[in-house]
Structure formats: structure tokens, C-alpha cells
Amino acid sequence: MPQYPQSPRSLDAAAEAPGPERSRRAVWISAGLAFALVLGGGGFAAWKFEWFSGNGRAVTFGRTAPSAGNGDGKARQSPQPQAPSAPAVPTGDPDVLMETGPRSGFKQTAKLDDGTVIAKTRLAGAKSGFEGDVWVWTPKEYSDPKYAKSAFPVLISLPGGNGFPTNYWSDRSLGLQKAIEEGVAAGTSLPFILIMPVLNPDNKYYYDGSDIPGQPKMGTWLAEDVPDFTRANFRTYKSRDGWAFMGSSSGGFVGMKQVLQHPDRFKAVIASGGEIVPDSPLWKGHQAEMDENNPEKLAKKLIDSNGPDVYINFQVGTKETGKDRMLRFQREFGTGPVKTTIHDIQNGEHNGWHYVRGMKESSLEWISKVLKGPEPAAG
């Protein structure tokens, strides 16, 4: 492996034994523990409040029903998407893109107190060749008739840890969806569509959200297949002004890398946990390709070419390591088109609950000022 500044994995492993992948797994383990608690001591309360009411039922987001013959929960992408049978017609903003189809089949996995649901489908990526699960949540505004011809901003939400076979942001106990709901009510957050794909293709390795030679093309999965799937099923914006990432730990690294690598497609990222450079063991023997997926080198390239502005909001807990890496990146690369901010989460640790708290304190409002929001119909 080439020599980089000491990685988050090695730092956290030294401080938080037993294993060398402690930082990659920390938030994933926390989410799993939360789910176990819900099913255990909190299970009765969960059932009482209907957290799981209707789980497994078919879900239709928006006004157009899924196309016939695709009710198995699998999204099959085609190089030439088919239009829905009765598409709505956008008015006003030429940036609005209505659902392109084909529509996917979704099954409910969780229900929120406001009646919105989290649902899952299976996506066979046409461009990457990788097939994996994707969870989705839409805010209640998405089903409001006055927004029926409006697009919504998309927040692709990436987990840390193994990121397989689940995406822990789809677990309502972490509170990401509720944080957005509360932010919308308070006027501090846009009503984001949350797209929550698996991050890795297995539990054995982490793939840095990249196309590592000889491995599943997880970079293409996240940069192309997941957005194509989103456009097929939801009302989105054509421009990058409606597209962003958020993620924790390794997911934060991947989100930042995607934004810097594809500034024409994505505009902003909330990156929590302090991972800055690629460090998958699968890069061995592929130095040039790894450099092409290194945020430091991507940022320099963007600066040198005076590329489009991108916005990076780092989040870090005061009880975790990583801020030094964020500060170094900000000092060396936070110039010109690379706009960086750092939000300190007081008494925050390396886990999803604290990162959501940081988003409620500051980061959701920050990214909502950077991206484009939906517009209701006149009158």
C-alpha cells in the first residue's frame, strides 16, 4: 500500500481495540444494537405505536402505480427507460424531471409516526452489473397534490461499517427521517427524498464506493445506477442542484469522493466521521486507479481546472478522532470551487445518532441552503 497520512481505521483501531476495522464497523454495530433493543425490551412499545404496521405490503410513492409485472420488489433497469403510462406534466420550472420509468416494486420495511413509510426494492444496475437492495423514504410533501408537478431534492444516504446487507439509515430508530420532518416543519430543512442503497457487495471487504479493478463496480453503482433508479421512480431535478450525498464513516468518505469526482452530477455532501483517503486493501497493485478515487487528488484537480463549485460539510464529534484530517483537507484543498465547513458535535461520538443530532443542529440547514427545493403549484 502507498503511504498516506495515518488512516481513520488505524487510529480508531489503536484507540478502540479489538479489530483493525473498528471505525468501519462502529456505526453499523450501533445501529444493529438499536434494532435489537427495539425487538427486545422496546418491542412492545414499537408494536403499540405501529412502527411495523403494514411491513411487507406493496408501496406506491406518489401518484403513479408501479408498472404491471414488476411487483416482486426488484428494479430492473433498462438502457432506454420506458415512460409511465399516464405521466403528469410539469409546469413552470424547466429543471423538473417527472418519473421516467420503468417503475419499481417497493415493499414497506418501516412506518413513521406521520404515516410516511420506508420501503425497499431490489435494483439490478444496468451500468455496473451489480444487484443490491435500495431503501427509500419520501416526505409527506411528496404526496401532497400541490407538489404533484414539482421535483424534490435527493439525498443519497450512505452507511459506514460493512454497509451490507443493509443500510442502517433505513432503521427509523436512528431518526434521520424524523430529523428531516422536524426540519421541514421548522423551516430549516428541505423535504428531501432519501435514497439508501447498500454500500458494499459483501461483508468481507470494503470497496471505497469505487470501481476497483477486478471487483464489483460500486462506484458506477452509486454514481449512475442509483441516480438512474431514482429518476425512474421519483420526480427529481435535471440539474445537480437537486442532488447530494450524506454519509457516516466510510459512507461519508464515499459521498465526498462522489461529489468531487462528479461535480457535474452532485453538488454537496454531509460527510461525518473523518475519513478522507481511500484505504481498501483491494487497491493493492492499482495505484493509478486509487489516485483517481482519492478526494485529495480530486479536489486539487477541480481547483486546477476551476471546476464547478462543490460544497462539503464535515461533521465530527468532539469525543472521536478525525477532526485533524478534516482541518488538513480544509487548509490544503478548501479553496476556489471546493467550499468546506466543519460542524463540531459537542460530546459526539462515532455513531449515527450523534451524526443525526449534528444534522439537526446545523448540517440539514446548511445543505438546504445549497440545494434546490420543491415549488408548490400556484394557488
Side-chain angles (χ1 to χ4, degrees), residues 128-373:
S128 68
F130 173 72
E131 180 174 324
D133 289 337
V134 181
W135 289 259
V136 170
W137 175 80
T138 60
K140 59 185 179 182
E141 287 79 12
Y142 189 82
S143 298
D144 188 326
K146 67 174 175 279
Y147 290 101
K149 297 180 181 180
S150 175
F152 279 69
V154 176
L155 198 56
I156 302 174
S157 305
L158 304 178
N162 290 349
F164 178 91
T166 61
N167 180 321
Y168 54 62
W169 295 118
S170 67
D171 183 346
R172 60 162 283 167
S173 70
L174 286 175
L176 176 59
Q177 295 79 16
K178 186 177 181 181
I180 292 173
E181 288 180 336
E182 293 174 348
V184 172
T188 56
S189 176
L190 294 175
F192 294 100
I193 296 172
L194 294 183
I195 305 295
M196 300 164 278
V198 292
L199 179 61
N200 292 309
D202 55 51
N203 279 324
K204 188 175 181 181
Y205 298 109
Y206 48 93
Y207 293 72
D208 284 340
S210 303
D211 290 358
I212 300 175
Q215 304 299 330
K217 295 183 177 181
M218 303 312 292
T220 299
W221 161 258
L222 293 169
E224 299 190 50
D225 288 332
V226 170
D228 284 351
F229 153 82
T230 306
R231 285 186 283 267
N233 286 279
F234 302 97
R235 304 187 301 275
T236 58
Y237 287 109
K238 299 174 186 177
S239 74
R240 72 187 193 117
D241 291 341
W243 293 85
F245 282 88
M246 62 82 59
S248 53
S249 194
S250 52
F253 158 80
V254 172
M256 176 173 66
K257 188 215 69 159
Q258 289 287 355
V259 169
L260 289 166
Q261 197 170 40
H262 305 290
D264 57 326
R265 305 178 196 175
F266 311 108
K267 191 173 185 180
V269 61
I270 300 172
S272 305
E275 297 205 24
I276 303 294
V277 297
D279 57 0
S280 171
L282 298 171
W283 287 117
K284 186 176 181 180
H286 303 290
Q287 178 68 49
E289 292 86 351
M290 185 170 71
D291 287 347
E292 292 172 357
N293 289 273
N294 186 331
E296 294 180 343
K297 295 181 181 297
L298 290 167
K300 186 177 186 306
K301 181 179 178 181
L302 193 62
I303 294 166
D304 291 346
S305 64
N306 195 29
D309 290 348
V310 295
Y311 299 82
I312 301 170
N313 182 74
F314 291 114
Q315 288 199 137
V316 61
T318 58
K319 290 187 175 181
E320 67 171 322
T321 61
K323 187 173 181 180
D324 58 331
R325 297 185 290 273
M326 296 175 179
L327 287 169
R328 184 175 62 247
F329 182 92
Q330 185 179 56
R331 182 172 60 251
E332 296 181 7
F333 306 105
T335 185
V338 183
K339 315 295 184 183
T340 62
T341 60
I342 301 176
H343 175 61
D344 294 318
I345 306 168
Q346 295 304 313
N347 297 312
E349 299 176 353
H350 195 82
N351 67 63
W353 291 286
H354 291 180
Y355 296 142
V356 170
R357 174 158 62 86
M359 292 176 73
K360 292 170 68 174
E361 291 169 351
S362 170
S363 298
L364 272 176
E365 184 171 10
W366 170 87
I367 202 167
S368 294
K369 292 178 179 178
V370 172
L371 297 182
K372 191 171 184 177

Side-chain angles (χ1 to χ4, degrees), residues 47-68:
W47 283 103
K48 182 178 179 181
F49 289 102
E50 299 185 339
W51 284 16
F52 308 115
S53 175
N55 281 5
R57 71 178 178 87
V59 174
T60 299
F61 291 101
R63 300 169 60 194
T64 307
S67 58

